[in-house]
Amino acid sequence: MQFRLIYEGPLRPSQRDPIDQQVNPLADHKHRIRRVFHTQLKHLWATDKFLSSHKMSKQLSRAQRPIADDAAYWGSEEEYVPMWEVLANQNRRFDYRFVPLVTDYASLLCSLDVLFLRRDNPGSVIQSGDIDNRLKTLIDALHMPVNTPELAGNETPRENEDPFYVLLEDDKQVSHLSVETDRLLDPPKADRNEDRHMAHVVITVTLRPYYVTMFNLSFS
């Protein structure tokens, strides 16, 4: 499965991760970006034939059975429900119900190919010391929050955010990351301080199973 996610707006660099329950100064910024991806992923789940129509057992362990084992369960009278509902109920965190697309239960990995347009000279990836830190902000916004400080100021989901769609269960599921940078040619805005953080990012997401099951064949 392959698709693209797009983000256009401020993209600030992350520094070190907060320790324990320290407030993350970029928590609100990252969640604003997470909301942008939520809207796009929600549309993906609604329009992709497999994601929108597939039903599964309430027991996630079923999805991890190898093909030969799963065949024995065909025709069973288990109750099957929409896949998003199973995931949402299995990923309750804080006041949210998250629906990650890339998960351990599905034995999936993903590669991210990023086109990163920003207000800087073409190239200069090595010299632009904040590129890695801005990418960290982006990837943090692609996975479920780990603790409540990551949702500081956004502890309650808004309308149309139940469930809340994210790409990754955990950032360890990114198996490949490549970045191409170029100059953002939109005219600068009035707020120069904010404008220097502006970015236009196109992320090509490619999913692949690392352990083939009857379930994840649809992602091959």
Side-chain angles (χ1 to χ4, degrees):
M1 177 182 285
Q2 186 176 84
F3 55 91
R4 289 180 174 86
L5 298 173
I6 298 174
Y7 173 71
E8 184 173 15
L11 184 58
R12 299 178 178 275
S14 293
Q15 303 303 322
R16 66 172 180 81
D17 289 328
I19 301 173
D20 297 327
Q21 293 298 308
Q22 287 182 338
V23 175
N24 187 331
L26 286 183
D28 184 65
H29 176 62
K30 291 179 181 180
H31 198 64
R32 287 174 184 267
I33 300 173
R34 192 177 288 120
R35 281 191 167 116
V36 173
F37 294 140
H38 156 73
T39 301
Q40 296 173 40
L41 289 165
K42 182 177 181 179
H43 184 69
L44 175 68
W45 277 79
T47 56
D48 180 86
K49 184 175 181 180
F50 172 67
L51 296 178
S52 63
S53 63
H54 184 71
K55 293 186 177 182
M56 59 189 295
S57 166
K58 292 182 179 180
Q59 302 300 318
L60 284 181
S61 60
R62 282 288 311 279
Q64 296 176 321
R65 294 184 183 275
I67 294 174
D69 288 355
D70 202 65
Y73 287 80
W74 290 0
S76 71
E77 296 183 358
E78 284 189 66
E79 181 183 359
Y80 286 80
V81 296
M83 178 165 54
W84 68 263
E85 184 177 333
V86 176
L87 291 172
N89 289 329
Q90 290 285 340
N91 289 285
R92 293 178 181 271
R93 292 191 180 183
F94 326 115
D95 288 333
Y96 286 80
R97 294 193 306 153
F98 290 101
V99 178
L101 180 56
V102 183
T103 60
D104 280 341
Y105 88 88
S107 302
L108 291 176
L109 294 172
C110 79
S111 66
L112 305 177
D113 294 292
V114 181
L115 174 60
F116 188 174
L117 306 180
R118 83 281 190 220
R119 301 205 186 285
D120 204 344
N121 293 326
S124 66
V125 175
I126 304 300
Q127 288 76 22
S128 297
D130 73 338
I131 291 292
D132 284 348
N133 289 333
R134 295 175 78 181
L135 286 173
K136 184 180 186 313
T137 297
L138 194 68
I139 292 174
D140 284 350
L142 287 169
H143 67 73
M144 294 191 301
V146 176
N147 50 43
T148 50
E150 288 193 48
L151 287 168
N154 300 282
E155 291 84 356
T156 302
R158 295 177 178 176
E159 185 179 359
N160 298 321
E161 291 185 351
D162 182 25
F164 194 106
Y165 293 86
V166 293
L167 177 63
L168 304 167
E169 184 179 39
D170 191 286
D171 59 11
K172 70 181 181 181
Q173 287 144 345
V174 177
S175 60
H176 167 84
L177 175 65
S178 67
V179 184
E180 179 182 357
T181 67
D182 208 338
R183 181 185 296 171
L184 180 62
L185 296 178
D186 281 351
K189 308 298 188 297
D191 187 344
R192 293 182 179 274
N193 185 54
E194 182 67 21
D195 190 67
R196 67 190 178 91
H197 294 296
M198 289 298 294
H200 185 104
V201 181
V202 180
I203 308 171
T204 301
V205 180
T206 305
L207 307 185
R208 66 175 179 86
Y210 60 85
Y211 173 67
V212 178
T213 67
M214 184 65 72
F215 170 74
N216 66 26
L217 275 174
S218 298
F219 295 97
S220 299

